[in-house]
Amino acid sequence: MQSYDPQKIETHWQQVWEQAGARAVQQDSTRGGARDARGNDARDATQADARDAAPSAQAAGQDSSPNSSKPHYYVLEMFPYPSGDVHMGHVRNYTIGDVISRYKRMRGFDVLHPIGWDSFGLPAENAAIKQGSTPAKWTYANIERQRASLKRMGFSYDWDRSVITSDVQYYHWGQWIFLKLWERGLVERRSSAVNWCPSCKTVLANEQVIGEGQCWRCKTAVERRELEQWFFKITDYADELLDDLSLLEGWPERVRQMQANWIGRSSGAEVSFRLCDAHGEPTQERITVFTTRPDTLFGCTFFLLAPEHPLVARLVAKTPYEAEVSRVVAAAQAASAVERARGEREKTGAFTGRYVENPVNGDKVPIWIADYVLMDYGTGAVMAVPSGDQRDFEFARQYSLPIVPVVVAEEDGLYPELAGVAERRRTDVPWSEAYAGPGVMVQSGTFTGLAAGKDSAGAQAVCDWLVAHGAGRPAVNFRLRDWLISRQRYWGNPIPAIYCDECGIVPVPEADLPVVLPMDVDVAAGDSLAAHPEFYDVPCPVCGRPAHRETDTMDTFTCSSWYYLRYTDAHNTSLPFSRAAADSWLPADQYIGGIEHAILHLLYSRFFTKALRDIGLLGFAEPFANLLTQGMVKLNGEVMSKSKGNVVAPEAMIERYGADALRAYILFMAPPDKDLEWSQAGLEGIYRFLLRVWRLLHDLLGVAGEETLYHEAGTGAAGGAAAGGAAAGGAAAGGAAQAVEEDAAPVAEAVAPAAAGDAAPAAPAAPAASAAAKLQAARDELTRERHRVVGKVTDDIERFNFNTAISAVMELANSTTGYLHLASASERHGELAPVTAPATDAELAPVATEPAAVRHAASDGRHFDEELATTITRLLAPIAPHFAEELWHTLFKREDSIHEQPWPCFDAALAQADSVEIAIQINGKVRLRIQVPASASAEELATLAQEQAAGLLAGKTVRKVIPVPGKLVNIVV
RNA sequence: GCCCGAGUGGCGGAAUGGCAGACGCGGAGGUCUCAAAAACCUUUGUCCUUCGGACGUGUGAGUUCGACUCUCACCUCGGGCACCA
């Protein structure tokens, strides 16, 4: 027996698959680019794919009807950023995707499984500076390194569709999309308060500011600066981005929740307050606020402006209040964004000396400035209702402002003496904090008695009143800001815009695309795009006068917002992708990636998809139908990172245990969405499992030779004991297995009654046939086990429970071990020689569904063993592809690929044992276990159980019997 | 504060409301061996020294014949949002 040598095997198959892949591409191109939809007509491509489709109904089972073309399945994994070699997170992400891909192919799907590189971005510049290289050299070297590692892992990618975002063939179309968005009014250049990272020396999008105001990449505290920048108007899609989350049933609830929080829609009303002049008389000038609680308007006792509000200076100019107000404004501006956002500071403010008029009751309320009011949310002005808002409450206490309760809680009678009171009687409350919950309106004039709360009848009534009196309207506010996409960095996709002194900002004409990024910019030497005249100096496309290019590049997230579309049509030279190609593959059936992109990338991609749909380039609204967010790989509870120096390198593990063991390990140790604690011992355990299966299958087919470990002639006792243990370990240990377990002398007698329980024509009952009978019983049991395991593995992979799928294969392997202990290969296979010639298709067909009555006779031994062996190999093929392929060729003597074989079939009925063990509970406690025929009805079960438990029931009155067929009987006494 | 998750042996983790702890790691004992490793076999939740029994899925209630699973409250941990009006 050739021993299992992962390095040798994996290297061999890598080369074979690589060559086969190259051949496939050549064949494709002779078919007119069918696979890749080169050119524009992808409809041809999909039809060609359909012609390719082999009849797969048998393998795909319920998933496809006979003679149908192969259904499409798009498995997408978040593409890597090429910062060095691949890490365990990549290995986990891509292993999950590869198992799904290989499994779906075996199930008869036409699978799209691409990979690429998100290769623009700041780390390349930093690395170039550090190493005195260029971003391009560093980036492309890393891509080659990663590509080699991914191939070494055995990932079955459509390599000919690879997308590298820093290739001009790709970013050309990013610029084209930019122009299309511009045409549609979704691009704006405007001045705004933006986030500036002093370390990265660039502006950042809101989504890229994390935690307490830090840069997402370098964690430096960001600064606020007023700058003119480029924006994508993602807020135009705020409503749809939020509403469509409910369509994404295949996404984790967590991610949907995070996006909903981020978009942050609040509904309420805008209320206009008339500004009073210096003498307190209302003017025509109005100040508008946004509120989610118009029902509390009668409780508004003061009015707040953000320190940055443009009105502030004018209100206090040349008044006694000017000095104090200026001091507070200056203090607010001095406080860092982080500090001010934290909310722990004591609330500070100052009176402006002016008033506004409350539209509902004519109250003159004082205008204050307060540092907790934010200029960039709502209108920068707030109606303060201290009885209903904790912040306003604290501010009122701080500056001794009145607090008027306008909502009383119904349930606990909070402030009951005000119930039903319409006119204002109290201007202070005995509470220690504001009450923001629902209740009933009080002290609110004609609205008193209406329900209060967010979106309540009272809120609606006040809103209606405001509309009727021209003092307000319903309004919705979002937390989401427009996406700032310009970056003051070199290594990115150039923004296709030109500045002309005469014509202003001019888009680069489509025909002039691509704007090529010079590859020789020496960032290490402080070089920049502005210093490259061949890039910087251009004639104005409109007037022809000298002009210059925009030197800002696009946020890398613009590149990753549409790469999954390019995969469907990767070589298109006239469009980013053809609509037909994209529509035929998307929405992606399964997207897999880290939770860290829950907001950033996933929100941007959703926005791009919707915008491109509105431009007419796509026919769908959401890019990813199903999302799996894989957990992190940790070491001692900590995230692996280079800076912490606690990285386990995949290469080193492949070197030692092979890619297949690493793949299986990472799937086995935890469900895919949970964090995984790295354990070398666990990896060794899986490696040993593969070694064990290797030996097992060789022994099963009788080619183990001298090295057989499972059966030695003449040691019947040891073998019997072993088999007994294994059979008992099997979950569905039935009567037959129990018979095997009893290894005492009258074996045949023990077997016969149990095994012959139903139609078993071939069951040998004669004592002389004891060995054969034992084998027979073991095969019957193993057949059931095989069907059960195939069913479980299939179901588990469908639901991404890879860990339990692998453990089910282990169970089948363990049961097989027990079977091997019963008899040597020659005893099992009778006169038949071990496999030397290629097995026929019939012999190696996917496990057929057989009539329940058909049992394997002793002479079928080799067939039985081969079927068992190929089943185990097929089940492992998606998980350990090199391992399975090698067995397919060397053990089963096949010349095609196991990865093109159909997935094994199973029959749930065959997984069912004739006789099952059920528990008898008395008052819910298990007291007894009995064997009953699997076919026993509930009534029979109830009777049987009471007979069997008669001893335990003596002297007790049976009140109720609950039989659960196949499981247990509960007797209540 | 609001909103999501998650709490099960020594460890990673299994369990459509129906025998808790599958599978693996680790531990213990054995077979083989001059010996060791590997491999193979047995065993391994806790407690009661017992054939046998009691207790066990973060805590406390509840629904149910029956709850790791469903309901309510609480505790702990993780995550998202947050002076968002």
Side-chain angles (χ1 to χ4, degrees), chain A residues 163-174:
Chain A
V163 159
I164 297 175
T165 61
S166 54
D167 282 356
V168 67
Q169 294 87 340
Y170 182 78
Y171 71 72
H172 174 167
W173 298 109

Side-chain angles (χ1 to χ4, degrees), chain A residues 15-30:
Chain A
Q15 288 166 358
V16 172
W17 291 337
E18 184 107 0
Q19 282 161 16
R23 268 202 306 280
V25 171
Q26 278 163 20
Q27 283 165 10
D28 281 346
S29 51
T30 60

Side-chain angles (χ1 to χ4, degrees), chain A residues 610-676:
Chain A
K610 290 174 191 303
L612 294 174
R613 173 205 58 194
D614 289 344
I615 291 167
L617 295 167
L618 295 174
F620 51 91
E622 286 289 341
F624 317 122
N626 297 292
L627 174 69
L628 175 65
T629 50
Q630 106 256 10
M632 288 187 287
V633 182
K634 295 186 166 184
L635 186 64
N636 301 322
E638 293 197 313
V639 183
M640 290 185 188
S641 76
K642 276 186 209 162
S643 57
K644 284 185 187 144
N646 62 347
V647 174
V648 179
E651 279 290 324
M653 296 301 116
I654 298 172
E655 211 50 63
R656 193 154 166 198
Y657 303 102
D660 285 343
L662 182 57
R663 290 167 62 115
Y665 162 76
I666 217 154
L667 295 167
F668 179 65
M669 284 301 277
D673 56 338
K674 288 181 114 183
D675 285 351
L676 183 152

Side-chain angles (χ1 to χ4, degrees), chain A residues 665-786:
Chain A
Y665 162 76
I666 217 154
L667 295 167
F668 179 65
M669 284 301 277
D673 56 338
K674 288 181 114 183
D675 285 351
L676 183 152
E677 178 65 33
W678 179 262
S679 151
Q680 184 95 0
L683 176 54
E684 279 175 36
I686 286 285
Y687 176 63
R688 286 203 298 268
F689 165 67
L690 291 180
L691 282 168
R692 200 154 57 237
V693 172
W694 183 271
R695 287 192 300 265
L696 191 67
L697 298 188
H698 280 82
D699 207 345
L700 197 54
L701 296 205
V703 296
E706 297 303 308
E707 296 180 54
T708 178
L709 291 159
Y710 300 100
H711 184 83
E712 289 163 56
T715 54
Q738 198 177 51
V740 175
E741 209 165 7
E742 289 162 23
D743 194 47
V747 174
E749 283 83 345
V751 170
D758 65 354
S770 78
K774 267 163 69 178
L775 264 181
Q776 180 75 53
R779 284 191 184 124
D780 290 346
E781 174 57 22
L782 206 39
T783 300
R784 280 191 288 271
E785 176 75 349
R786 195 188 70 205

